[in-house]
Amino acid sequence: MAESVEETLVLVKPDGVARNLTGEILRRIEAKGYALTDIRWVQASRSLLEQHYAEHQGKPFFEPLVEFMESGPIVAMRIAGERVIEGFRSLAGTTDPTTAAPGTIRGDLGRDWGLRVQQNLVHGSDSAASAERELGLWFARR
Ligand code: IDP
Ligand code: MG
């Protein structure tokens, strides 16, 4: 891979899988020009989720977040491309789906459901260090 090509972790969260939006989300990633380099269907363990979201331990939405992420299958994807970490965060839109910009995954496909945690369809790594750490968790050699 060229030196400038990055990889990021994208998760289609349980709400996205349950609503049959996995294909639509991958379609947007591929239409943008990024490449799918690995994919995995996962029923995540609490241990994996606690490691994945370690930065949020102690926040009021942490427990609802882990319970939500445990509530059904997740589709984990390894996505490659120049500046893909930043680019996928832009495609995803901001955290709150009510105000995420139209045109983004969260803005077009998500909404508030009145729950303690925002169900916002996707996760994307937020930095090169996060991407490396998270890809190691979700695509560990098995
Ligand atoms: P991100 O997914 O946009 O990077 P983070 O701040 O890393 O957002 O939060 C992780 C996840 O926790 C969010 O995607 C969302 O599902 C949930 N979350 C974050 N902040 C809140 C909040 O203030 N209320 C409810 N849920 C939240
Ligand atoms: Mg985050």
Side-chain angles (χ1 to χ4, degrees), residues 18-36:
R19 291 177 56 205
N20 295 320
L21 291 171
T22 305
E24 169 62 17
I25 290 164
L26 180 57
R27 187 196 66 73
R28 289 171 180 234
I29 293 168
E30 290 188 317
K32 178 79 173 174
Y34 298 132
L36 175 68

Side-chain angles (χ1 to χ4, degrees), residues 53 55-56 89 123-124 126:
Y53 280 128
E55 66 174 308
H56 296 308
R89 296 277 296 184
H123 166 84
D126 64 8

Side-chain angles (χ1 to χ4, degrees), residues 13 53 55-56 61 65 89 95 106 116-118 120:
K13 295 182 177 185
Y53 280 128
E55 66 174 308
H56 296 308
F61 61 83
L65 175 60
R89 296 277 296 184
T95 307
R106 289 164 168 175
R116 287 183 303 159
V117 64
Q118 290 294 351
N120 55 11

Side-chain angles (χ1 to χ4, degrees), residues 4 6 12 24 37 40 46 48 50 59 74 89 92 97 99 103-104 126 131 133 137 139:
S4 60
E6 292 180 342
V12 180
E24 169 62 17
T37 54
R40 192 184 160 206
R46 172 158 285 257
L48 171 59
E50 287 179 349
K59 295 184 185 170
I74 288 170
R89 296 277 296 184
T99 53
T104 66
D126 64 8
R133 188 182 75 84
L137 289 172
F139 289 98

